[in-house]
Amino acid sequence: MSERPDTEAVISVKHVSKDFLLPHEKTSSIKSGVINVFRKKDRTVDTQHALKDISFEIRKGEFFGILGRNGSGKSTLLKILAQIYQPTKGSIETRGKIVPFIELGVGFNPELTGRENVYLNGALLGFSRKEIDARYDDIVKFAELEKFMDQKLKNYSSGMQVRLAFSVATRAEADILLVDEVLAVGDAEFQRKCYNYFELLKKSKSTVVFVSHDMSAVREFCDRAILIENSELVAEGDAEKIANRYNRLFMDEDKGEINGIPQTNERWGDRRASFTKVEVTGKKVIDDKTESLTFTAEFTAGQDIPTIITGSSIVNAKGEEVCGTNTEHRRIKLTDIKQGETVKVHWEYPNIFTDGKYTINVSLHGSNSTRMADWWEGAAAFTVRREEKAPFVVTPDIRLKVER
Amino acid sequence: MTGLGRVASKYRYSIILLRELVITEFKLRYQGSALGYLWSLLRPLFLFIILYFVFVSFLKIGGDIPHWPVALLLGIVLWNFFTEVTNNGVTSVVDRGDVIRKINFPKYVIVIAGSVSALINLLLNLVVIAVFMAINGVDLQWGALLSPLYVIEIFVLAIGLAFFLSAVFVKLRDINYIWEIVMQGLFYASAIIYPITLVMEKNHKIAELMLLNPVAQAVQDIRHVLISTHNPTLYTISGNNMLVAAIPIVIAIAIFILGAWYFRRQAPYFAENV
């Protein structure tokens, strides 16, 4: 936290609590109100503590993650930051203009044309008519909806609506952007657009608050993060660390520790054999498409093992397993391993990877992925840099020849 | 940002929003109709023609007040303005609940946006009234210049009520039915479709009491300055008592202040209650 002591806090959250009063029978008509007045005993109000004494600071230029499970209170916190909700206790201080992207297309009206909706939505984001006029062509072009702007929104497909809304939203000039994960829904191409936009924000050193439970996105974009669990702030710090902590929330309580290695969501198994070292032996940043990814996975048997299978897979920044294999598929037999024996497996993956960051999963298990001995997610990482930016999961060396 | 700059930018956002909301409302209202905006003029015009025949040919209750039919139409126009501002107001916040839950913006803009369209309608209606006045040969006096002040009085009262009602409606959904009934009663109590002289003939004191209602008083005053001085006002009925004449104005301002205060106090919690 002391990496950048000079940068000022643009959001200070001080001891914020938020309670929602939930009457058992909601008094929204006079009749029930009158009845309840006479039956005071029955009028019970449940207080739901959505947030309890939350304090943290967000500094200028930070990409800040708010993580938590569904119902943990993270969305309430985002709404308090956006000043949509008032905190019950505590205060927040903000500096600069905040634009919330809690949902795309706020104020969109299906009865209005695309053009009219751009102006309406723009106004909610703080754009005057003139300012929209100046950006209008860009917005339409980015949304790829040139031919549809004078049609009513109700005739748009949902994908077109999202594109238009996103296109307006990305023009917003804010000091602080509040982004909800719901932004990144939609088809793969739209997600890519979203992530490109996040990357742009990150490069331009914008202050962004990002609420998510997509850990790969958090790992990729966020500098720092907090973890909200049961309405309380349970951890704050480096995004990678918090993302791991988040994953551990889902760990079964009874897993505990085996052979001195804690069981987590990323690493578990009965440890009859366990990895001791997984290391990228070639370049960690592969910028040459002819260069392969090479790594070595080393494991030691904790007991005599008649037969075992070891595998690996490559995971991209979105959390998709791109490719992988194991010794069983390759018909390589690993039998009669004595207790204490160390086995080295050298892996070489041809560079079919699309530009981006990747992690490596390794595993040790019985036949057909049964009896996991050691499952290690994100055992190592590497990056691929490519000129060719294709929106596909993999980018193999496709040859093509044009003849005319 | 300096304090002044912050105030200016906040104000700017409200204006941008207000403008867009008004434009949207207007567009949506006349969507799919062939004559479009023209209906804003045609609607009152036909209503007037009907009323004119009913009240002039069948129900001759105008008595000896000159140009009573025009005064009647003027009263209805002003009353419609009052109802439109308050009725638009009551549900305005709840109707925009969807947006309120997603973004923070000055909530009063919603209520004002609803009243702006009522103001536009009023202006269009007044154009029609002016035509009728000309046809009837109403003799305009210099005092007519005072009429905008009374329109403002009605507006201040109506917007104050709109603020209050819209904030209450978020928590208590019965308020619009209650308000509907109140408006029905108020309509007949405000001497809109009958001349106040009818009441005065029966009981002078009751007529005076009725004109303590700001809407009735303002309508009567506008009729007085715009159409004919034969229309009595609270001031003339009370025997030129300035203090009594000031009561409805004070009521209007008080309701505005209370309504705005209550709205302001409730606005931060709209998002979670709506």
Side-chain angles (χ1 to χ4, degrees), chain A residues 9 63 70 121 131 136 168 188 204 222 258 287 296 322 326 328:
Chain A
F63 214 111
N70 284 333
N121 183 235
E131 286 166 330
Y136 186 76
V168 182
S204 65
C222 294
I258 291 180
D287 46 14
T296 305
V322 175
N326 63 29
E328 189 177 33

Side-chain angles (χ1 to χ4, degrees), chain B residues 56-76:
Chain B
V56 177
S57 311
F58 305 110
L59 301 167
K60 297 189 171 121
I61 54 169
D64 49 1
I65 293 173
H67 310 300
W68 168 248
V70 184
L72 170 73
L73 300 183
L74 181 62
I76 289 171

Side-chain angles (χ1 to χ4, degrees), chain B residues 11-57:
Chain B
Y11 194 53
R12 188 189 104 99
Y13 184 38
S14 298
I15 291 172
I16 290 171
L17 253 184
L18 181 63
R19 196 185 144 132
E20 241 13 87
L21 290 179
V22 170
I23 292 173
T24 307
E25 219 156 287
F26 227 73
K27 272 181 185 155
L28 287 174
R29 178 172 306 175
Y30 295 107
Q31 231 177 34
S33 70
L35 294 178
Y37 304 127
L38 211 55
W39 279 116
S40 289
L41 273 173
L42 292 178
R43 221 173 38 148
L45 190 67
F46 283 109
L47 175 72
F48 292 172
I49 290 169
I50 293 165
L51 285 172
Y52 197 87
F53 276 103
V54 171
F55 281 88
V56 177
S57 311

Side-chain angles (χ1 to χ4, degrees), chain B residues 200 204 211 221 224 229-241 245:
Chain B
M200 284 165 69
H204 199 273
L211 288 188
D221 269 300
H224 183 87
T229 47
H230 285 81
N231 288 290
T233 66
L234 181 59
Y235 182 63
T236 61
I237 293 178
S238 64
N240 297 359
N241 187 334

Side-chain angles (χ1 to χ4, degrees), chain A residues 246-261:
Chain A
Y246 172 81
N247 278 331
R248 236 171 287 153
L249 290 176
F250 295 94
M251 195 186 90
D252 291 336
E253 247 107 39
D254 55 50
K255 274 183 185 166
E257 272 188 16
I258 291 180
N259 297 349
I261 305 171

Side-chain angles (χ1 to χ4, degrees), chain A residues 143-161:
Chain A
E144 298 163 28
L145 290 170
E146 286 91 342
K147 286 178 199 150
F148 302 95
M149 291 314 286
D150 290 315
Q151 280 188 25
K152 281 187 189 172
L153 200 73
K154 64 180 176 189
N155 299 328
Y156 280 36
S157 71
S158 54
M160 286 157 79
Q161 289 190 25

Side-chain angles (χ1 to χ4, degrees), chain A residues 106-109 112 114-127 129 132 168, chain B residues 16-17 20-22 24 28 96:
Chain A
V106 174
F108 265 17
N109 189 315
L112 295 174
R115 175 190 299 270
E116 288 160 349
N117 272 304
V118 166
Y119 283 91
L120 182 61
N121 183 235
L124 279 161
L125 296 174
F127 286 119
R129 288 226 135 203
I132 293 278
V168 182
Chain B
I16 290 171
L17 253 184
E20 241 13 87
L21 290 179
V22 170
T24 307
L28 287 174
R96 298 266 175 199

